[in-house]
């Protein structure tokens, strides 16, 4: 019996909710979608149930109890009990993120499309870029000269 079997088509709670977008490999997505279809659950319901179970600790309690029962003997201490220790914290400097963003191309929360010579809201630009069969990044990085002119015109107006 899988983790989601016991939850197949239970009633939903009525309370305010938030959206949690996640990025997963396509193969895992397809396997999860098929499993949800088998159980008659939407992917959102299944995700909610997995997260809820994780937070409530049922899996954790089950796992730790099983380990406690099956463990042979406790680990031998590495250090003598009467010795004092000093904990040293090594702080690493945080490195800037290497994730690409469209921020350098934004003007008033809009992005320029050099192919249409139009401005689109940042929130909808990815959808617009798909009409040209490109990603946001591909459009913005491959047409620098036109984009720079559009940005300059927009900022001067």
């Amino acid at each position: 019996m899988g983790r989601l079997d016991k939850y197949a088509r239970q009633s939903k709670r009525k309370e305010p909710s938030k959206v949690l977008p996640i990025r997963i490999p396509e193969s895992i997505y397809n396997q999860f979608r098929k499993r949800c279809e088998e159980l008659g659950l939407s992917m959102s319901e299944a995700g909610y149930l997995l997260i809820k179970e994780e937070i409530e600790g049922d899996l954790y309690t089950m796992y730790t109890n099983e380990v406690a029962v099956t463990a042979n003997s406790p680990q031998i201490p590495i250090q003598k009990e009467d010795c004092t220790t000093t904990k040293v914290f090594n702080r690493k400097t945080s490195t800037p993120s290497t994730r690409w963003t469209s921020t350098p191309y934004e003007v008033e929360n809009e992005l320029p499309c050099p192919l249409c010579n139009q401005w689109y809201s940042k929130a909808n630009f990815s959808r617009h870029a798909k009409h040209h069969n490109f990603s946001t990044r591909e459009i913005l990085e491959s047409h620098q000269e036109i984009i720079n002119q559009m940005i300059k015109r927009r900022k001067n107006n």
Side-chain angles (χ1 to χ4, degrees), residues 94-154:
S94 62
T95 56
S97 173
T98 57
R99 185 173 180 168
W100 185 87
T101 66
S102 62
T103 306
Y105 304 98
E106 281 180 52
V107 176
E108 298 168 3
N109 210 26
E110 291 186 327
L111 294 171
C113 176
L115 304 176
C116 299
N117 204 26
Q118 296 284 323
W119 288 82
Y120 294 91
S121 79
K122 180 182 175 183
N124 294 324
F125 193 83
S126 178
R127 184 179 313 136
H128 172 75
K130 287 179 185 173
H131 292 294
H132 296 299
N133 295 318
F134 289 109
S135 69
T136 300
R137 183 177 186 173
E138 289 170 333
I139 285 182
L140 295 177
E141 287 186 345
S142 63
H143 299 88
Q144 286 288 330
E145 190 174 315
I146 298 170
I147 289 173
N148 289 339
Q149 290 171 1
M150 290 178 73
I151 292 171
K152 189 175 179 180
R153 271 184 276 157
R154 191 71 170 305

Side-chain angles (χ1 to χ4, degrees), residues 9-93:
R9 279 292 164 211
Q10 288 186 352
S11 63
K12 296 179 185 178
R13 281 189 192 173
K14 297 290 181 190
E15 72 177 284
S17 62
K18 296 281 185 181
V19 175
L20 174 65
I22 60 171
R23 191 172 297 276
I24 58 174
E26 188 174 349
S27 61
I28 293 173
Y29 173 89
N30 290 331
Q31 291 172 1
F32 188 61
R33 182 181 47 78
K34 286 177 187 173
R35 182 69 177 135
C36 290
E37 286 174 2
E38 290 170 8
L39 298 171
L41 292 169
S42 71
M43 292 177 70
S44 292
E45 288 172 317
Y48 164 78
L49 294 168
L50 290 169
I51 292 169
K52 181 180 173 196
E53 189 168 334
E54 176 66 26
I55 290 170
E56 291 178 354
D58 292 341
L59 290 175
Y60 177 77
T61 306
M62 234 170 54
Y63 175 76
T64 52
N65 288 341
E66 182 180 334
V67 170
V69 170
T70 59
N72 293 334
S73 62
Q75 184 177 355
I76 300 168
I78 297 172
Q79 187 173 356
K80 293 180 183 177
E81 291 180 17
D82 58 345
C83 292
T84 58
T85 60
T86 304
K87 192 169 190 174
V88 177
F89 293 98
N90 290 333
R91 301 252 176 186
K92 294 182 180 178
T93 57

